[in-house]
Amino acid sequence: MEKISLNFNKTFDFISKDSIFSYKEEIENHNRALFNKTGKGNDFLGWTTLPTSITDAELADFEATAAKLVAKNIDIFVVIGIGGSYLGAKAVVDALSDSFAHLKERKNPFILFAGQNISEDYLFELRELLKTKEYAMAVISKSGTTTEPALAFRLLKQDIEEKYGKAEANDRIVAITDASKGALRSLSTTEGYKTFVIPDDVGGRYSVLTPVGLLAIAVAGFDIRALVKGAVDMQKASGVDVPFEENLPAQYAAVRNELYKNGKSVEILVNYNPKLHFLAEWWKQLYGESEGKENKGIFPAAVDFSSDLHSMGQYIQEGERTLFETVLSVASPDREVRIPTDADDLDGLNFLAGKRVDEVNKMAELGTMLAHVDGGVPNIQVVMPKLNEYYLGQLIYFFELACGMSGYTLGVNPFDQPGVEAYKKNMFALLEKPGFEEATKAIKKRL
Ligand code: PA5
């Protein structure tokens, strides 16, 4: 199989190859701890073997459910969820979709999201739009109690029931949640929705290869089997039997930890294709929520080049020298656009005539990498041969496994997120939620 590749030569001006390879034993141990489920957070390690454990029957069920929804001639499929219950599907669907899909004729419905914010304007405008469209929806929450999606679902559930009548509305709603716990599970049982289970041992941000991500990706018309196959191949190529020298996630985990030890505390994920914008958002959640704890962790940031070369490029070239970049590169674009010759050459671009636009993009990429390294920003490069389901599957598993190894190397539990509770406690206290009376009194004194 052709694999995504990893190149970290452009970090050697800052850290030595030997120092990277000195992580070999430690990271191989972490890999064993992940697969043998003996490390921190070992209740949440189901994702390590998820790709090879997805059955044909499960995939067929996702595909059949997607086909049934699409057969209702829906224009829009609304996915209600936040964090790990939103970003994986959004990342993959955006990466694979036509950039202007929303304005073109399509075979499959357009995927829209709700419950990923609490903006009144957003919800109002979405509800107005849905009045004029045919639609169905999935509501996704592992805990089944998260406020943002629960609030959005309360509104959209009433709307869909009003539009189609209760029985048909219930046939257009799929719930994806825990097998037994949470308000969403009991609500779904009462309403008789089609449901899928999020495995207990797979945390939100590691759940894209469960129904959380796969249903919406299938509804959008993409090949979930190829996506899973990519992840399976990466799982096999980075298992405990694969030595550090050949194990790409292990090497990525080592390089970023060594850079962090040497003062590079901000990692910027760079893309040169706007379709990857949400892949970077997914990656930011994966690494930020997994590693940012105990007052440590690399801060994950992202830029879209070349757009952001005309904004953030200045800071990256000459600002604080705490940065390193990981460039997500796609070797070959799907489409071909050649630059034409112009007889007058008034714009002075005839030196590019006959070249593909991607050649210009690639020279921007190479030139930027060299400039940033010269400016004190080490560069790692991850190359996908093409932007398709198979390589996205590889990439997802690559980043997930590297994140587990990297978190263990940093000494934290990469599978919990105790810090996200603080805002919820304050929000509930301010909203006077029953059970928060003491917190309400305390917080009001601070206002
Ligand atoms: O990674 C995580 O666990 C979180 O980001 C969750 O995905 C997010 O908070 C949403 O949680 P839930 O699916 O329980 O609504």
Side-chain angles (χ1 to χ4, degrees):
M1 65 150 184
E2 199 176 354
K3 259 198 320 192
I4 60 171
S5 60
L6 176 72
N7 179 350
F8 46 90
N9 291 344
K10 292 188 178 59
T11 64
F12 295 162
D13 286 353
F14 308 89
I15 53 175
S16 69
K17 201 171 173 181
D18 284 352
S19 70
I20 296 168
F21 279 75
S22 73
Y23 285 82
K24 172 179 162 65
E25 208 185 317
E26 180 184 357
I27 291 194
E28 286 178 350
N29 284 337
H30 293 327
N31 202 19
R32 270 189 287 278
L34 287 166
F35 280 97
N36 298 337
K37 305 191 179 17
T38 53
K40 286 184 183 173
N42 57 356
D43 286 352
F44 289 98
L45 290 172
W47 58 269
T48 54
T49 49
L50 185 66
T52 48
S53 53
I54 300 175
T55 64
D56 190 64
E58 284 170 318
L59 291 171
D61 194 5
F62 305 149
E63 287 166 340
T65 306
K68 190 179 153 210
L69 294 165
V70 173
K72 290 181 185 289
N73 286 323
I74 51 175
D75 307 303
I76 291 173
F77 187 58
V78 186
V79 177
I80 303 171
I82 195 165
S85 293
Y86 146 65
L87 284 164
K90 175 76 176 153
V92 174
V93 169
D94 274 21
L96 297 172
S97 293
D98 185 293
S99 307
F100 305 99
H102 56 301
L103 297 172
K104 290 183 179 172
E105 283 289 310
R106 294 178 312 274
K107 225 173 78 231
N108 287 76
F110 193 71
I111 313 291
L112 282 181
F113 293 85
Q116 83 284 33
N117 61 56
I118 329 175
S119 160
E120 189 160 336
D121 288 346
Y122 185 94
L123 281 165
F124 181 93
E125 288 158 14
L126 176 63
R127 293 172 78 197
E128 286 294 293
L129 173 74
L130 293 177
K131 280 183 195 157
T132 67
K133 303 284 179 191
E134 298 302 317
Y135 65 100
M137 58 175 77
V139 52
I140 310 178
S141 177
K142 176 154 190 215
S143 62
T145 55
T146 307
T147 308
E148 291 90 335
L151 177 59
F153 186 54
R154 176 178 279 218
L155 290 163
L156 298 186
K157 177 177 183 295
Q158 289 190 359
D159 291 349
I160 199 171
E161 287 174 0
E162 205 169 291
K163 182 167 174 129
Y164 295 105
K166 183 104 180 148
E168 176 58 18
N170 287 9
D171 208 42
R172 287 171 182 251
I173 297 174
V174 177
I176 304 175
T177 188
D178 184 85
S180 55
K181 294 188 295 287
L184 181 57
R185 169 55 60 186
S186 40
L187 187 157
S188 306
T189 308
T190 308
E191 298 288 8
Y193 298 150
K194 163 81 181 168
T195 61
F196 288 106
V197 171
I198 308 173
D200 263 353
D201 56 358
V202 179
R205 57 192 175 275
Y206 296 84
S207 70
V208 51
L209 299 173
T210 72
V212 170
L214 297 179
L215 179 68
I217 296 166
V219 171
F222 300 116
D223 183 351
I224 56 173
R225 286 173 194 267
L227 186 78
V228 171
K229 172 81 172 85
V232 166
D233 286 350
M234 185 52 73
Q235 182 190 320
K236 290 182 179 159
S238 47
V240 289
D241 52 327
V242 181
F244 183 88
E245 293 76 4
E246 293 155 34
N247 195 317
L248 301 188
Q251 293 174 8
Y252 176 57
V255 177
R256 59 198 301 285
N257 271 278
E258 183 59 11
L259 288 168
Y260 183 55
K261 243 173 64 187
N262 284 273
K264 302 297 184 188
S265 56
V266 178
E267 178 175 9
I268 307 175
L269 195 74
V270 176
N271 72 71
Y272 283 81
N273 183 334
K275 291 185 186 194
L276 292 171
H277 177 85
F278 268 91
L279 205 285
E281 294 301 306
W282 169 84
W283 171 90
K284 272 161 59 180
Q285 185 209 1
L286 181 64
Y287 280 80
E289 216 170 13
S290 299
E291 293 197 317
K293 44 197 76 153
E294 299 176 27
N295 299 325
K296 51 189 178 181
I298 296 169
F299 183 83
V303 289
D304 299 322
F305 284 169
S306 72
S307 316
D308 290 336
L309 282 171
H310 298 261
S311 57
M312 296 303 289
Q314 172 59 37
Y315 190 104
I316 297 170
Q317 189 69 45
E318 295 184 340
E320 274 209 40
R321 301 298 72 193
T322 49
L323 316 175
F324 69 98
E325 290 174 306
T326 296
V327 178
L328 204 48
S329 187
V330 181
S332 323
D334 269 351
R335 320 282 188 177
E336 185 174 324
V337 178
R338 283 197 189 271
I339 300 161
T341 306
D342 185 290
D344 300 325
D345 196 25
L346 294 177
D347 53 13
L349 286 184
N350 268 355
F351 74 102
L352 296 176
K355 289 191 193 300
R356 289 181 65 174
V357 171
D358 192 58
E359 288 180 67
V360 182
N361 205 22
K362 288 288 186 300
M363 291 310 112
E365 181 177 323
L366 185 57
T368 304
M369 236 189 260
L370 295 170
H372 288 180
V373 170
D374 289 346
V377 179
N379 264 243
I380 300 168
Q381 195 189 27
V382 179
V383 184
M384 303 168 76
K386 281 192 91 63
L387 189 48
N388 63 19
E389 288 92 333
Y390 176 72
Y391 293 116
L392 280 170
Q394 285 197 13
L395 190 74
I396 285 167
Y397 191 84
F398 163 82
F399 277 136
E400 287 181 349
L401 185 59
C403 187
M405 294 169 171
S406 181
Y408 280 175
T409 307
L410 189 67
V412 299
N413 174 358
F415 310 111
D416 65 1
Q417 53 283 330
V420 300
E421 294 311 313
Y423 98 90
K424 291 185 192 166
K425 191 173 152 235
N426 284 351
M427 178 176 75
F428 292 144
L430 291 164
L431 289 167
E432 302 184 18
K433 182 174 175 176
F436 283 76
E437 291 75 10
E438 286 310 309
T440 300
K441 268 190 234 153
I443 206 162
K444 287 207 165 160
K445 282 194 194 132
R446 293 174 56 195
L447 302 180

